[in-house]
Amino acid sequence: DSALLRPDLFSLSVAIDTELSAGTQWAAKAVAAWKNLSAPVRLRDIVVSFGSKDDEGIVDFLNTMSDLEKKTGLASKVQVQIRVYQGIGHGTWDAVWMQWPDLFSVMFTQETPLGSDTP
């Protein structure tokens, strides 16, 4: 939620087993307010991960993102990646750290190379 509120401060948002806690309406207002920022939008990438056994979380999040896209055109502003880790339920932090070793570097260099080479 913080990255949507302050896209001028964050270039990358990594969320684990997430939901937009305040809901689609709030998120849509936050994204719409980007045009009123005094600083440029730095947010380029949002990465969200789920475990394949977290069925309810994935479905809810995808529905929310679909609604948000319809209301704001978020996909034209930010690259959104959804990662699903096989055989894991809720709580994918370990899988993210183990399967994305460059995450630590990304966090401290502020560079977000999320191309085809990123697991």
Side-chain angles (χ1 to χ4, degrees):
D1 292 350
S2 296
L4 292 180
L5 277 176
R6 294 303 309 264
D8 54 330
L9 297 179
F10 296 95
S11 59
L12 168 68
S13 175
V14 178
I16 308 300
D17 307 309
T18 193
E19 63 180 282
L20 290 171
S21 57
T24 306
Q25 213 170 20
W26 170 88
K29 287 180 183 178
V31 173
W34 291 8
K35 65 180 177 266
N36 300 324
L37 290 171
S38 57
V41 171
R42 296 181 63 219
L43 185 63
R44 288 183 174 71
D45 301 287
I46 297 173
V47 179
V48 182
S49 71
F50 292 96
S52 64
K53 295 181 180 179
D54 187 8
D55 297 338
E56 187 174 318
I58 295 170
V59 171
D60 290 345
F61 181 78
L62 291 176
N63 286 334
T64 300
M65 289 304 290
S66 176
D67 290 345
L68 187 58
E69 171 57 26
K70 289 174 191 169
K71 292 178 181 179
T72 67
L74 183 66
S76 66
K77 299 170 178 56
V78 178
Q79 178 180 340
V80 178
Q81 286 189 9
I82 299 170
R83 297 169 181 226
V84 180
Y85 292 95
Q86 184 64 30
I88 299 174
H90 193 77
T92 57
W93 271 115
D94 289 341
V96 170
W97 282 106
M98 297 302 288
Q99 295 185 33
W100 188 10
D102 290 337
L103 178 59
F104 187 80
S105 296
V106 167
M107 290 171 58
F108 292 99
T109 65
Q110 299 296 308
E111 295 176 14
T112 55
L114 297 176
S116 59
D117 294 340
T118 305

